[in-house]
Amino acid sequence: MAQASIANSEFDRDTAVTLREEGVYDAELSAGWTIFGAVNGGYLLAVVGRALGDALPHPDPFSVSAHYLSASGPGRAVIRVQTVRSGRTLSTGQASLFQYTEDGTEVERIRVLASYGDLDALSDDVRTTAKPPAIPPIEHCLGSEDGPAPIPGSAAITERLRLKLDPATCGWAVGAPSGKGEMRAWFELADGRDADPVSLLLAVDALPPTAFELGIKGWVPTVELTTHVRCRPAPGPLRVSIVTRNLAGGFLEEDAEIWDSADRLVAQSRQLALVPRG
Amino acid sequence: MAQASIANSEFDRDTAVTLREEGVYDAELSAGWTIFGAVNGGYLLAVVGRALGDALPHPDPFSVSAHYLSASGPGRAVIRVQTVRSGRTLSTGQASLFQYTEDGTEVERIRVLASYGDLDALSDDVRTTAKPPAIPPIEHCLGSEDGPAPIPGSAAITERLRLKLDPATCGWAVGAPSGKGEMRAWFELADGRDADPVSLLLAVDALPPTAFELGIKGWVPTVELTTHVRCRPAPGPLRVSIVTRNLAGGFLEEDAEIWDSADRLVAQSRQLALVPRG
């Protein structure tokens, strides 16, 4: 499939922000990135990440910490950005995304602290003991088009992604969850656009929740999500691996790693999420 | 040794904050918690955590994300706290800690977003696959008093802690780093005060940097540190395990886990840090 350019990428179009005045950006959250009617938290973060990248002196997200305050819906949004500190290597910013009630009152959806830098300025020094996730070849993994839908059909976001799940983490889709808090997938944007640092903010939160493989159904709302982008991703499909080790007291963590086609660890994230009751 | 009560705990005394007016707290950063003259980032976070716990309707830190802006020194500080959202289960706040230049200008040291809740209100449901770290009994681990100082003597903070390092992660102290990005220790406050949720914010950042075991010397400044407190710690010594898997492009992550004497995973944290050059 031909790669999308910026002009025809639905991801770029749907995460676009427009400068209204210094530090204030308008955006339109697209209904295309919803799950059960709520806007996906990773997509939301990518929209905020675009505004931060425009406002800060450095272009790339290095560390982005988001606290989720209320569920977002499709429609108009405004992002207010503050530059907290401008340094040589890194700059730090703060951003909030608001939507509107019927009478026009602003309601805050997400608040973000972020440190931005320049990924192209990093040294080539790599000393890692991390290993890419064990995931079968993409042709042996399962998408929503492969029979018993591994991703609920009610999620519009499935049409925006080429998500191919490891069959070992698909048990939940046929009523046989593995009992392990693991989810692995090949990830590409459906429009064929290659991954960039901002799209990694989407990718860390775009797989079905690990809770599904623990036999838990329903929405698992994110409390906090921090993503570290460690390297500019190479073209080609990404591998995303998410692990939950501790479900306790009604909360769980999701630890995500993203690896690119050059076998580089390009992003790490952790989120704290609320387990649905019952 | 007798346990310290709140009245005679140096940790409580040195992290105390005084309400000046709504949302504004005064503090005095103690020289007792410095490393090479800079105030330890975990101690700093505990001071901010105290202010947030006072200002927010919920008492306990659940998820605390901190971006470090400039190095702190001992002396006067002011913490400005904003309540972002008050919910039933969680409330979210933002805090900044400032110090002063010679002419009295405020300089921001750290900015924090945090979600607070009530740890005592959590269900007893625990389903974890996480295992406590493999660390020898405390009597086989090494403190600064045990011969070739495993912790630099120039760090005042070593006198505030009863830190006993796993000999397997002490090679750096005798010029023979293991080459593995691992650091493990038994952790107690030297004043004998039992751990509580706020002291966990210190404990996640109180061990020698994993970089030492990778053969890297010097200060490893924190860019961002997020801590999730998952359970109120039981009395007794904590076990802290820190792992670095990816050192790349001049940055590394430190993933910390803290386990209590009841074998519960009480905190998880991850930080992104800058690797010193050369």
Side-chain angles (χ1 to χ4, degrees), chain A residues 1-277:
Chain A
M1 183 182 291
Q3 300 298 301
S5 69
I6 297 244
N8 64 3
S9 157
E10 61 187 355
F11 176 75
D12 287 324
R13 217 161 41 230
D14 291 348
T15 57
V17 296
T18 308
L19 183 67
R20 187 201 297 178
E21 58 190 70
E22 192 183 331
V24 184
Y25 294 84
D26 290 297
E28 184 74 28
L29 303 183
S30 160
W33 300 86
T34 52
I35 298 177
F36 304 125
V39 169
N40 170 265
Y43 163 70
L44 199 67
L45 202 52
V47 173
V48 175
R50 291 277 296 263
L52 279 160
D54 188 77
L56 292 173
H58 291 90
D60 301 315
F62 273 39
S63 177
V64 179
S65 312
H67 287 246
Y68 288 79
L69 305 170
S70 55
S72 308
R76 196 159 63 94
V78 60
I79 303 133
R80 300 182 185 278
V81 181
Q82 181 200 0
T83 300
V84 175
R85 174 184 170 270
S86 296
R88 197 160 42 92
T89 308
L90 296 170
S91 50
T92 303
Q94 173 174 331
S96 292
L97 184 144
F98 301 86
Q99 290 192 295
Y100 301 91
T101 60
E102 284 193 5
D103 68 1
T105 310
E106 289 189 356
V107 182
E108 192 169 353
R109 299 301 190 205
I110 183 177
R111 189 173 291 206
V112 174
L113 281 179
S115 292
Y116 271 56
D118 182 355
L119 287 171
D120 295 331
L122 298 186
S123 74
D124 288 332
D125 178 35
V126 180
R127 284 196 276 163
T128 186
T129 57
K131 296 267 180 297
I135 181 169
I138 200 163
E139 60 272 20
H140 295 153
C141 290
L142 302 172
S144 55
E145 66 285 6
D146 298 314
I151 302 157
S154 57
I157 193 174
T158 60
E159 295 165 30
R160 308 278 92 68
L161 307 176
R162 256 182 261 153
L163 208 55
K164 291 284 195 174
L165 293 180
D166 183 340
T169 66
C170 279
W172 60 274
V174 292
S178 69
K180 292 184 202 166
E182 298 179 8
M183 199 63 68
R184 288 182 293 276
W186 293 90
F187 176 97
E188 286 180 286
L189 292 168
D191 64 19
R193 175 192 179 285
D194 278 321
D196 71 353
V198 167
S199 72
L200 297 177
L201 300 178
L202 162 68
V204 296
D205 195 35
L207 270 55
T210 52
F212 286 3
E213 278 293 90
L214 293 168
I216 293 162
K217 286 169 188 167
W219 193 38
V220 186
T222 303
V223 175
E224 191 271 345
L225 168 60
T226 293
T227 306
H228 298 161
V229 175
R230 305 296 303 273
C231 179
R232 186 175 299 285
L238 302 169
R239 284 157 292 174
V240 183
S241 169
I242 308 187
V243 175
T244 295
R245 298 166 64 237
N246 191 55
L247 186 163
F251 289 83
L252 56 78
E253 90 285 358
E254 282 200 4
D255 274 354
E257 283 188 0
I258 305 184
W259 293 76
D260 71 4
S261 61
D263 271 357
R264 289 283 298 268
L265 177 56
V266 294
Q268 293 169 296
S269 78
R270 178 177 290 154
Q271 69 170 268
L272 185 68
L274 254 168
V275 179
R277 286 166 197 270

Side-chain angles (χ1 to χ4, degrees), chain B:
Chain B
M1 185 182 293
Q3 301 298 302
S5 68
I6 297 241
N8 64 5
S9 156
E10 60 186 354
F11 176 76
D12 287 324
R13 219 161 40 228
D14 290 347
T15 57
V17 296
T18 310
L19 184 67
R20 186 200 298 179
E21 59 191 70
E22 192 184 332
V24 183
Y25 295 84
D26 290 298
E28 184 73 29
L29 303 184
S30 160
W33 301 85
T34 52
I35 298 177
F36 305 124
V39 169
N40 170 265
Y43 164 69
L44 199 68
L45 202 52
V47 173
V48 175
R50 292 277 296 265
L52 279 159
D54 188 79
L56 293 173
H58 292 90
D60 300 316
F62 274 40
S63 177
V64 179
S65 312
H67 286 247
Y68 288 78
L69 305 170
S70 55
S72 309
R76 197 159 64 96
V78 60
I79 303 132
R80 299 182 186 281
V81 181
Q82 180 200 3
T83 301
V84 177
R85 175 183 169 270
S86 296
R88 195 161 43 93
T89 308
L90 295 171
S91 51
T92 302
Q94 173 175 329
S96 292
L97 183 144
F98 300 86
Q99 289 192 298
Y100 301 91
T101 61
E102 285 192 5
D103 69 359
T105 310
E106 288 190 357
V107 182
E108 191 168 354
R109 299 301 191 205
I110 184 178
R111 189 172 291 206
V112 174
L113 282 179
S115 291
Y116 272 55
D118 182 356
L119 286 171
D120 295 330
L122 298 188
S123 75
D124 289 331
D125 178 35
V126 180
R127 284 196 276 163
T128 186
T129 57
K131 297 267 180 296
I135 180 169
I138 199 163
E139 60 272 19
H140 295 154
C141 291
L142 302 173
S144 54
E145 66 285 6
D146 299 313
I151 301 158
S154 56
I157 192 174
T158 60
E159 295 165 31
R160 307 278 92 67
L161 308 176
R162 255 183 261 157
L163 206 56
K164 291 282 194 174
L165 293 181
D166 183 340
T169 67
C170 279
W172 61 273
V174 291
S178 69
K180 291 184 201 166
E182 298 179 6
M183 199 63 67
R184 287 181 295 276
W186 293 90
F187 176 98
E188 286 179 287
L189 292 169
D191 65 18
R193 174 191 179 283
D194 278 320
D196 72 351
V198 167
S199 72
L200 297 178
L201 300 179
L202 162 68
V204 295
D205 195 34
L207 271 56
T210 52
F212 286 2
E213 278 292 270
L214 293 169
I216 293 162
K217 287 169 188 167
W219 194 39
V220 185
T222 303
V223 175
E224 190 272 345
L225 168 60
T226 293
T227 306
H228 297 161
V229 175
R230 306 295 304 273
C231 179
R232 185 177 299 285
L238 301 170
R239 284 157 291 173
V240 183
S241 169
I242 308 188
V243 176
T244 295
R245 296 167 65 236
N246 190 55
L247 185 163
F251 289 83
L252 56 78
E253 90 284 358
E254 282 200 4
D255 273 354
E257 283 188 1
I258 305 184
W259 292 76
D260 71 5
S261 61
D263 271 355
R264 288 284 298 268
L265 178 57
V266 294
Q268 292 169 298
S269 78
R270 176 177 291 154
Q271 69 170 268
L272 184 70
L274 254 168
V275 180
R277 286 167 196 267

